[in-house]
């Protein structure tokens, strides 16, 4: 079944460093979204990028989308301990009436 | 405007019992989705509902699981005769359109 794949599965960095997470998918999409999930909590929507967009920014977040390679990346600049969480990409597939298909996530650990 | 409200947050059921999970969407949102998350995994789509209608239930197990979103009141995900494998976090999301979804904090079901 269609599923986003995040890479790496886990990432550990020090506060102040940048964190880059990648997501690949298999079929055509309407949009791709990134979510954050703190341990044991719900998901927080971070950013949505549409299939006709190549890059979007939101605060310390930068998302790119390459539809030719069917991949996206999430960059968190100047990371903070509070950024420690799991990050998921989710694709809104073309013609699927809005359901999101999630990847397995990248677990980010930011240490002081 | 309160966010998506799910209750209970934690639910413990013995094998064979019924589990009822409730979701109140954000005000003005007519689209409701249910997802299931197993430990260390991403979210898996279960069902998409609009008021009084099931739009897409392609992710629902064929037996024991049902969902509804009545004209009045919250959306209900019902699991009959629960088994250990049903233990998971169940997330509800709502949206005003078919793009960005807002997630609740989830219900963590434990079957003992």
């Amino acid at each position: 079944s269609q599923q986003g794949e995040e890479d790496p599965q886990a990432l550990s960095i020090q506060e102040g460093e940048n964190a880059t997470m990648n997501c690949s998918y298999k079929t055509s999409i309407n949009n791709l979204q990134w979510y954050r999930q703190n341990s044991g909590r719900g998901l927080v929507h971070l950013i949505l990028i549409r299939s006709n967009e190549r890059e979007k920014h939101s605060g310390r977040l930068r998302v790119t989308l390459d539809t030719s390679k069917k991949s996206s990346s999430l960059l968190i600049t100047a990371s903070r301990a509070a950024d420690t969480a799991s990050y998921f990409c989710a694709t809104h597939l073309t013609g699927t009436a809005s359901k999101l298909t999630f990847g397995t996530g990248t677990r980010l650990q930011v240490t002081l | 405007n309160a966010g998506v409200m799910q209750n209970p947050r934690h639910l413990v059921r013995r094998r064979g019992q019924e589990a009822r999970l409730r979701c109140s969407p954000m005000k003005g949102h007519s689209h409701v989705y249910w997802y299931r998350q197993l430990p260390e995994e991403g979210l898996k789509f279960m069902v998409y509902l609009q008021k009084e209608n099931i739009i897409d239930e392609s992710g629902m197990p064929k037996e024991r699981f049902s969902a509804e979103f009545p004209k009045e009141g919250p959306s209900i995900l019902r699991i009959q005769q629960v088994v250990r494998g049903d233990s998971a976090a169940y997330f509800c999301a709502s949206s005003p359109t078919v793009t960005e979804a807002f997630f609740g904090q989830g219900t963590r079901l434990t079957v003992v």
Side-chain angles (χ1 to χ4, degrees):
Chain A
S1 60
Q2 165 65 29
Q3 184 174 15
E5 296 284 339
E6 283 95 338
D7 169 57
Q9 287 189 328
L11 180 61
S12 183
I13 59 174
Q14 289 193 316
E15 202 171 48
E17 294 181 332
N18 295 342
T20 300
M21 289 158 266
N22 303 296
C23 169
S24 60
Y25 57 93
K26 295 178 182 176
T27 63
S28 64
I29 61 172
N30 287 328
N31 61 67
L32 184 144
Q33 304 179 37
W34 284 91
Y35 288 83
R36 183 185 74 224
Q37 184 180 36
N38 291 84
S39 180
R41 305 295 296 275
L43 277 76
V44 174
H45 185 269
L46 296 177
I47 200 163
L48 180 154
I49 186 165
R50 301 183 193 282
S51 59
N52 60 353
E53 297 175 313
R54 292 296 166 259
E55 187 172 311
K56 282 190 85 167
H57 297 255
S58 176
R60 294 184 296 112
L61 305 180
R62 173 177 169 254
V63 169
T64 62
L65 178 65
D66 186 337
T67 52
S68 66
K69 295 181 180 177
K70 292 186 168 59
S71 67
S72 172
S73 67
L74 170 66
L75 168 67
I76 304 174
T77 59
S79 64
R80 306 166 181 167
D83 295 329
T84 295
S86 290
Y87 291 81
F88 294 91
C89 71
T91 49
H92 176 195
L93 306 183
T94 304
T96 56
S98 88
K99 72 180 181 185
L100 292 171
T101 303
F102 283 82
T104 53
T106 292
R107 286 152 197 76
L108 174 65
Q109 176 78 42
V110 182
T111 56
L112 296 171
Chain B
N1 188 5
V4 177
M5 304 300 292
Q6 288 188 249
N7 67 81
R9 291 290 308 278
H10 301 273
L11 182 61
V12 180
R13 283 286 178 267
R14 286 197 168 86
R15 281 178 294 172
Q17 291 184 319
E18 178 179 285
R20 279 184 176 243
L21 289 64
R22 296 175 188 77
C23 169
S24 296
M26 290 179 70
K27 187 176 181 181
H29 289 193
S30 59
H31 304 256
V32 167
Y33 318 85
W34 285 93
Y35 291 82
R36 176 166 62 179
Q37 184 180 33
L38 295 171
E40 307 301 319
E41 293 188 13
L43 278 70
K44 297 287 194 295
F45 169 79
M46 298 181 74
V47 62
Y48 162 41
L49 310 102
Q50 294 182 19
K51 282 287 187 182
E52 300 184 277
N53 288 303
I54 297 175
I55 308 301
D56 181 350
E57 56 181 348
S58 58
M60 287 279 272
K62 296 288 183 236
E63 297 176 347
R64 303 187 297 107
F65 284 72
S66 62
E68 63 176 8
F69 187 18
K71 188 176 180 181
E72 302 290 338
S75 175
I76 306 288
L77 178 67
R78 182 181 177 210
I79 310 172
Q80 295 178 291
Q81 299 175 325
V82 295
V83 300
R84 289 242 172 92
D86 297 332
S87 295
Y90 291 83
F91 289 95
C92 170
S94 73
S95 68
T97 63
V98 293
T99 53
E100 180 182 345
F102 297 83
F103 282 80
Q105 293 295 306
T107 293
R108 278 150 190 82
L109 172 66
T110 302
V111 180
V112 297

